[in-house]
């Protein structure tokens, strides 16, 4: 489809309205006001300017976004650690009620996925994250006062709804910027109070220091904003547009990539749902005390961190030294393979092989590396702001469904080995590998099709007729998928 664009209006800080040859009104990206700075002014910028700006942005954003995710991950597993300290007994979680407390979180997440995506599009992003973190902290503190199954279910549903905007919000931000107190068996309440207070404090930091987008970042000078936007031009994904586009939403539902990524996340998140809620109980079932089990849970976070850095670091190095090769799916498959082999050992090792089972349990957490890389692939392969928001929402719907189902396979009657739950994790690794291979194959097919039918150069950096016009990846023939 060819486009002839006509600027109708331009206001500082807002996208201009444009129309294509078919008469449909399209709203340009918020970055459009800086997109032609260097063309119009005749200025240039050097690699030194880029490096200086990159460090300036990274030093501000990376710590904020890193702690955003860290707090969310920490807060979610408080029930797992609390289960070691009479949490279930004190709140009447007999039978499989504990499994439902684990699932309840993701019912809230599922319900609020799509509405939160709309909020992230319409409202200032950083401010939404700030308010969500404040409420999140209050809910956590309230959980420390809970005494019943019904109360816990309600609080966990609310907590899940509040997490729904956090990870998608972090990725939208990125896309815009390219044990000591646990000595008493009844001290589980303190974990919720402390983590909740930390989250509230962090929300204040987010509200003050995290910018909504490059255009509104006060710590970046106007010329630096133009440099930042120029560096993002080749991605063809845009930065931000507040206008909801129904056609983009419908395109999302018709895109095969959407559903392949949906199925991938439905399967790769099964280990998260199971291990997050039951790993501590599996470790305690090996014969360790509650305090010792809590300490032995610490390496699970280390493994997740290593998996994330290994897979993402591998992608980064390949992009730097092998820029002409697509390697993202390969790193996803490597991470899946590590988790798959580990789960095989966890499923087959003798019950009394404590050291072997513990090591296998740790390495089963390697799912986190492929999960994070896949989120990056999804972001890089989706253009058009409404399409981005809708795609993110669907991906996290699958994440919720997966995490709702996973705890139900860990039957209390099978404690502490949980053979059914471990077998399901094993199967999920196999399926997720198949789905990411199909996703990569579709990207290869689509790129080759565009090379055949298009009259554009795939490696060309500047496309004035489509850059920052809020076109989707389907509408823009200049767009090439990564895999």
């Amino acid at each position: 489809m060819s486009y002839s664009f006509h600027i109708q209006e331009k206001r500082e800080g807002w996208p201009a309205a444009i129309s294509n040859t078919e008469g449909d009104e399209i709203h340009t990206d918020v970055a459009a006001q800086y997109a032609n700075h260097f063309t119009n002014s005749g200025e240039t910028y050097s690699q030194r300017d880029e490096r200086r700006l990159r460090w300036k942005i990274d030093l501000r954003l990376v710590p904020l976004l890193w702690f955003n995710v860290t707090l969310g991950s920490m807060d979610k597993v408080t029930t797992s650690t609390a289960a070691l300290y009479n949490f279930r007994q004190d709140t009447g979680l007999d039978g499989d009620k504990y499994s439902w407390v684990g699932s309840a979180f993701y019912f809230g997440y599922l319900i609020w996925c799509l509405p939160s995506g709309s909020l992230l599009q319409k409202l200032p992003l950083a401010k939404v994250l700030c308010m969500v973190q404040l409420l999140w902290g209050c809910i956590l503190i309230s959980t420390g006062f809970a005494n019943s199954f019904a109360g816990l279910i309600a609080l966990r549903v609310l907590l899940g709804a509040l997490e729904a905007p956090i990870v998608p919000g972090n990725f939208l931000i990125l896309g815009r910027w390219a044990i000591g107190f646990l000595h008493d068996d009844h001290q589980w309440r303190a974990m919720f109070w402390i983590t909740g207070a930390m989250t509230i404090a962090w929300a204040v930091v987010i509200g003050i220091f995290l910018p909504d987008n490059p255009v509104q970042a006060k710590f970046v000078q106007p010329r630096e904003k133009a440099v930042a936007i120029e560096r993002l031009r080749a991605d063809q994904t845009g930065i931000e547009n507040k206008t909801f586009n129904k056609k983009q939403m419908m395109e999302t539902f018709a895109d095969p990539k959407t559903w392949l990524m949906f199925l991938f996340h439905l399967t790769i998140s099964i280990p998260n749902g199971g291990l997050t809620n039951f790993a501590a109980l599996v470790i305690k079932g090996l014969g360790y005390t509650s305090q010792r089990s809590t300490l032995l849970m610490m390496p699970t976070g280390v493994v997740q961190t290593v998996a994330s850095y290994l897979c993402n670091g591998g992608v980064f190095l390949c992009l730097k030294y092998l820029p002409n090769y697509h390697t993202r799916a390969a790193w996803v498959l490597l991470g899946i393979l590590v988790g798959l082999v580990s789960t095989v050992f966890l499923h087959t090792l003798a019950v009394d092989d404590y050291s072997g089972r513990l090591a296998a349990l740790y390495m089963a957490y390697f799912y986190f590396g492929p999960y994070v890389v896949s989120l990056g692939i999804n972001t890089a392969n989706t253009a058009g702001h409404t399409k981005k928001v809708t795609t993110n929402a669907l991906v996290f719907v699958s994440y919720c469904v997966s995490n709702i189902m996973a705890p139900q396979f860990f039957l209390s009657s099978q404690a502490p080995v949980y053979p059914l739950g471990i077998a399901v994790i094993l199967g999920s690794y196999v399926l997720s590998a198949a789905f990411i291979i199909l996703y990569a194959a579709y990207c290869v097919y689509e790129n080759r099709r565009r090379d055949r039918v298009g009259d554009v150069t795939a490696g060309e950096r500047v496309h004035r007729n489509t850059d920052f016009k809020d076109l989707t990846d389907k509408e823009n023939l200049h767009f090439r998928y990564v895999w």
Side-chain angles (χ1 to χ4, degrees), residues 88-104:
R88 292 177 296 172
Q89 293 87 337
D90 290 350
T91 54
L93 300 182
D94 53 324
D96 290 323
K97 287 183 179 179
Y98 175 71
S99 295
W100 282 109
V101 169
S103 295

Side-chain angles (χ1 to χ4, degrees), residues 140-428:
L140 273 171
I141 291 173
S142 301
T143 306
F145 293 97
N147 290 301
S148 68
F149 174 65
L152 279 170
I153 290 291
L155 288 167
R156 293 289 288 177
V157 168
L158 287 173
L159 198 64
L162 289 170
E163 188 183 297
I166 292 179
V167 175
N170 272 14
F171 271 89
L172 286 173
I173 288 282
L174 284 172
R176 293 172 185 184
W177 297 90
I179 179 142
F181 59 90
L182 297 176
H183 296 301
D184 184 335
D185 276 350
H186 295 274
Q187 286 300 311
W188 61 268
R189 298 182 189 276
M191 285 188 298
F192 292 98
W193 298 335
I194 291 173
T195 54
M198 289 173 63
T199 304
I200 291 174
W202 185 247
V204 175
V205 174
I206 290 295
I208 296 172
F209 293 105
L210 182 63
D212 295 310
N213 58 53
V215 174
Q216 296 174 351
K218 295 180 180 179
F219 72 100
V220 179
Q221 299 301 314
R223 183 178 182 278
E224 292 177 322
K225 293 177 183 179
V227 175
I229 288 164
E230 195 68 25
R231 293 174 65 242
L232 291 170
R233 185 184 294 276
D235 292 344
Q236 295 281 305
T237 58
I239 291 176
E240 178 180 358
N241 190 310
K242 296 296 186 186
T243 305
F244 178 81
N245 189 320
K246 184 178 179 181
K247 292 174 72 174
Q248 289 192 12
M249 182 186 71
M250 299 309 295
E251 180 184 305
T252 304
F253 294 136
D255 193 339
K257 294 197 319 327
T258 301
W259 301 110
L260 287 171
M261 190 58 74
F262 181 95
L263 292 170
F264 174 80
H265 280 270
L266 189 69
T267 50
I268 198 63
S269 297
I270 287 286
N272 180 74
L275 297 175
T276 295
N277 291 284
F278 287 91
L281 297 176
V282 171
I283 293 174
K284 188 174 182 180
L286 296 176
Y288 298 104
T289 64
S290 296
Q291 288 79 13
R292 185 68 172 169
S293 297
T294 303
L295 289 170
L296 289 172
M297 277 291 292
M298 293 174 66
T300 63
V302 174
V303 171
Q304 285 181 303
T305 303
V306 169
S308 177
Y309 277 87
L310 176 64
C311 294
N312 284 279
V315 170
F316 171 78
L317 291 175
C318 288
L319 286 173
K320 183 175 182 179
Y321 296 108
L322 300 170
N324 296 323
Y325 294 90
H326 292 271
T327 61
R328 290 170 173 84
W331 286 101
V332 171
L333 288 170
L334 176 62
I336 290 174
L337 180 63
V338 174
L340 175 64
V341 172
S342 302
T343 309
V344 169
F345 281 115
L346 188 60
H347 190 60
T348 57
L349 286 174
V351 176
D352 57 356
D353 188 352
Y354 302 133
S355 298
R357 290 182 64 80
L358 190 60
L361 178 65
Y362 289 156
M363 296 308 292
Y365 275 81
F366 230 80
Y367 70 86
F368 192 67
Y371 168 76
V372 174
V373 173
S374 70
L375 290 176
I377 295 174
N378 193 52
T379 299
N381 282 344
T382 309
H385 198 73
T386 299
K387 186 173 182 180
K388 287 184 197 175
V389 171
T390 308
T391 302
N392 282 339
L394 288 173
V395 163
F396 286 101
V397 164
S398 69
Y399 171 81
C400 295
V401 172
S402 180
N403 281 274
I404 288 171
M405 295 189 304
Q408 306 308 316
F409 296 111
F410 286 75
L411 307 177
S412 59
S413 60
Q414 296 184 341
V417 180
Y418 301 107
L420 176 60
I422 301 303
V424 169
I425 290 176
L426 178 58
S428 73

Side-chain angles (χ1 to χ4, degrees), residues 12-92:
E12 183 67 23
W14 292 88
I18 58 178
S19 61
N20 61 18
T21 52
E22 297 176 349
D24 300 323
E25 186 178 89
I26 301 175
H27 293 265
T28 57
D29 195 278
V30 69
Q33 61 181 297
Y34 287 98
N36 298 317
H37 171 84
F38 292 102
T39 301
N40 297 335
S41 67
E43 291 183 63
T44 60
Y45 62 93
S46 65
Q47 288 188 342
R48 182 182 179 185
D49 292 329
E50 282 198 49
R51 285 194 299 271
R52 186 187 299 115
L53 176 60
R54 186 175 68 246
W55 277 106
K56 188 175 187 177
I57 294 171
D58 286 352
L59 289 173
R60 170 66 70 95
L61 296 186
V62 172
L64 294 173
L65 299 180
W66 175 82
F67 210 64
N68 255 6
V69 175
T70 300
L71 273 178
S73 299
M74 177 185 71
D75 294 347
K76 277 190 298 187
V77 300
T78 44
T79 50
S80 177
T81 308
L84 301 174
Y85 296 89
N86 285 342
F87 169 61
R88 292 177 296 172
Q89 293 87 337
D90 290 350
T91 54

